Amino acid sequence: MRTRAISGLLYVAILLLLATRGGSAWTALVSLLCLLAVHEALALARACGADAHRPVALAGALAMPVAWQVGGPPALVPALVLVVLAAGIDQIRRRPEARRLVDWLATIALPVAIAMPLAHLVGLRQLSWPHPQAAGPAWLLVVLGLVWANDSAAYLAGRAFGRRPFFASISPKKTWEGAVAGLLACGLLGAGLPRLAGAGVSLTAWQGLWIGLVVALAGTTGDLMESVLKRQAGVKDSGTLMPGHGGILDRVDSLIWVAPVAFYLIAWLTGGA
């Protein structure tokens, strides 16, 4: 328990420090998270019978957040195209008996399904709050706080009051009581965002409520999706990098869904993109 607490606090401290600093430091951290998450996903894919090309998948994982930092969302398209082409070249150079469609698709899918969504964390750091000319870490920190509130409330309520399983075939320990508690916690925090922001913010309590609810739903879905992958691979954790927590993919699974959903919702509601 002590080891779990220490590794968790260290992870949060690094995340908050570099999120506040922003710029290339934050992009470097997001790139590292993408690299490690895709590295762990490659092992899951192999356990499921897909022999993805590791160098191409890892290069694609690094390319996504770097592309966003350099050119914003439009830069993700050429990064994606390069991954597709490089994965195709890998298939061409293989021996005939080693060429498989599933391997080509896995090489493309892992950086696209993991690193491309996580690259939106770079975009969240660039959104303005509360004024259009005031880009800063506030929206990123708000989203991270909502994700952690959802996880914490779901865990605590599930342990205290959980009775009815929530997608038991995917994640037996999750309960409906925990899921509802996470949803309520995020909704209430979201509704309080205008008061937190102070004067000058154009966000209403209703808009904040929707942001909180959507983040909770997206985070829970991301968590469930990673559990599906782990069950298919027959493993409990995606890795062992974080003692007591599992792997990096276990830590960022919620963010894979939350980052893009929150980015586009907040940009739409506030015009801050």
Side-chain angles (χ1 to χ4, degrees):
M1 190 69 176
R2 182 180 179 182
T3 303
R4 175 184 171 89
I6 293 173
S7 63
L9 288 173
L10 182 62
Y11 169 75
V12 170
I14 293 173
L15 211 62
L16 292 178
L17 176 65
L18 296 184
T20 303
R21 184 169 183 178
S24 58
W26 175 244
T27 302
L29 178 61
V30 174
S31 300
L32 179 61
L33 293 176
C34 289
L35 183 71
L36 294 173
V38 170
H39 168 73
E40 293 172 355
L42 284 165
L44 299 181
R46 184 177 290 274
C48 294
D51 185 21
H53 191 261
R54 181 174 297 273
V56 172
L58 293 179
L62 287 173
M64 298 300 175
V66 172
W68 188 301
Q69 179 68 24
V70 172
L76 293 178
V77 176
L80 170 60
V81 171
L82 287 175
V83 171
V84 173
L85 296 179
I89 292 172
D90 167 62
Q91 286 294 309
I92 292 171
R93 71 169 188 81
R94 292 189 184 193
R95 298 186 307 275
E97 63 273 16
R99 295 173 186 146
R100 298 197 308 161
L101 177 62
V102 66
D103 298 341
W104 178 67
L105 292 175
T107 303
I108 298 169
L110 294 181
V112 169
I114 296 173
M116 184 177 282
L118 286 177
H120 288 73
L121 291 171
V122 177
L124 278 170
R125 179 59 178 77
Q126 297 168 345
L127 284 177
S128 54
W129 167 297
H131 302 291
Q133 304 303 319
W139 273 121
L140 176 60
L141 297 177
V142 163
V143 170
L144 292 176
L146 288 171
V147 169
W148 294 331
N150 179 50
D151 291 345
S152 299
Y155 174 76
L156 294 173
R159 288 199 62 178
F161 311 109
R163 298 292 182 272
R164 287 165 289 189
F166 181 68
F167 288 100
S169 63
I170 298 175
S171 187
K173 292 184 178 181
K174 284 185 172 54
T175 64
W176 277 103
E177 290 81 1
V180 171
L183 192 67
L184 290 175
C186 279
L188 291 173
L189 284 174
L193 287 179
R195 183 176 294 275
L196 176 66
V201 67
S202 59
L203 193 72
T204 67
W206 281 108
Q207 289 173 326
L209 173 66
W210 277 111
I211 291 172
L213 294 177
V214 169
V215 165
L217 291 172
T220 301
T221 305
D223 192 4
L224 289 172
M225 189 63 234
E226 199 232 351
S227 295
V228 168
L229 298 179
K230 290 190 294 184
R231 282 200 165 270
Q232 292 182 16
V235 298
K236 180 179 181 294
D237 297 318
S238 66
T240 58
L241 187 61
M242 292 185 63
H245 293 268
I248 291 297
L249 189 56
D250 293 314
R251 292 299 86 209
V252 302
D253 53 2
S254 297
L255 290 172
I256 291 172
W257 280 66
V258 168
V261 170
F263 174 81
Y264 293 114
L265 177 61
I266 293 168
W268 175 60
L269 288 176
T270 66

